[in-house]
Amino acid sequence: MNVVSDTIQSLRTMRKRQLAHQVINLGLIVTSALMIWKSLMVITSSESPVVVVLSGSMEPAFQRGDILFLWLGSASFRVGEIVVFKIEGRDIPIVHRVIKVHEKYDGAVDVLTKGDNNDVDDRGLYAPDQRWLNKKHIIGRAVGYLPYVGMVTIIMNDYPYLKYALIGLLGIFVLTSRE
């Protein structure tokens, strides 16, 4: 409890100008993070350049908690590629492997996906009456990964109070630092 009282005392003894400076620094940190994210979106042509694997459906290729780096690009999709896609009406993207590619005469490409650890293809996951995914559903292709680093994200989503406590604690540390 000594740390909490010291932090509160530090905030009370801060001059208004110094406190304003710290709040501006916190705003700059948040703004910089958003700018980096948006820049990555433009560079990778993907609405989400980084995703966390949330289930074990892609084991042994990817484990729950792995962070995937995505790149959409303009090249056609090929069998064996690992793609991340979103289904209409669902918020959480899915990471699975392309198992079939259907190229149409007009140049459009439809794909069928399946998790490596699943017994059947993903048609049961798709929207009703949807048999294939097309380019509008696909967020990107996996081009790299960091093993298990995303477990932090999974834990914070499972325990939202922990997430808010960590964000609040980091905000207090930024505000009370004297540098």
Side-chain angles (χ1 to χ4, degrees), residues 71-90:
W71 179 276
L72 187 56
S74 60
S76 293
F77 297 101
R78 297 290 166 228
V79 172
E81 283 187 311
I82 296 171
V83 296
V84 178
F85 60 92
K86 275 178 118 174
I87 301 298
E88 293 173 21
R90 294 188 182 185

Side-chain angles (χ1 to χ4, degrees), residues 63-75:
Q63 307 294 319
R64 186 173 191 257
D66 289 353
I67 290 183
L68 300 181
F69 301 102
L70 305 181
W71 179 276
L72 187 56
S74 60

Side-chain angles (χ1 to χ4, degrees), residues 53 55-63 82 95-97 114-118:
V53 177
S55 73
S57 67
M58 280 303 293
E59 290 178 358
F62 298 115
Q63 307 294 319
I82 296 171
V95 179
H96 281 173
R97 190 177 304 274
K114 176 185 171 294
D116 289 356
N117 203 20
N118 294 348

Side-chain angles (χ1 to χ4, degrees), residues 32-141:
S32 296
L34 288 173
M35 286 173 49
I36 290 169
W37 183 259
K38 290 294 185 181
S39 297
L40 285 173
M41 287 174 66
V42 170
I43 291 168
T44 63
S45 304
S46 175
E47 72 179 65
S48 182
V50 177
V51 295
V52 176
V53 177
L54 298 175
S55 73
S57 67
M58 280 303 293
E59 290 178 358
F62 298 115
Q63 307 294 319
R64 186 173 191 257
D66 289 353
I67 290 183
L68 300 181
F69 301 102
L70 305 181
W71 179 276
L72 187 56
S74 60
S76 293
F77 297 101
R78 297 290 166 228
V79 172
E81 283 187 311
I82 296 171
V83 296
V84 178
F85 60 92
K86 275 178 118 174
I87 301 298
E88 293 173 21
R90 294 188 182 185
D91 294 332
I92 298 174
I94 300 170
V95 179
H96 281 173
R97 190 177 304 274
V98 174
I99 59 169
K100 287 185 183 175
V101 176
H102 179 71
E103 296 184 30
K104 298 179 181 177
Y105 291 111
D106 63 358
V109 176
D110 291 340
V111 298
L112 179 64
T113 57
K114 176 185 171 294
D116 289 356
N117 203 20
N118 294 348
D119 293 329
V120 296
D121 62 38
D122 289 343
R123 286 189 171 136
L125 296 175
Y126 300 163
D129 298 325
Q130 182 180 355
R131 310 268 305 148
W132 299 86
L133 295 175
N134 53 39
K135 186 150 179 135
K136 75 175 184 176
H137 298 107
I138 297 176
I139 297 173
R141 305 163 198 209

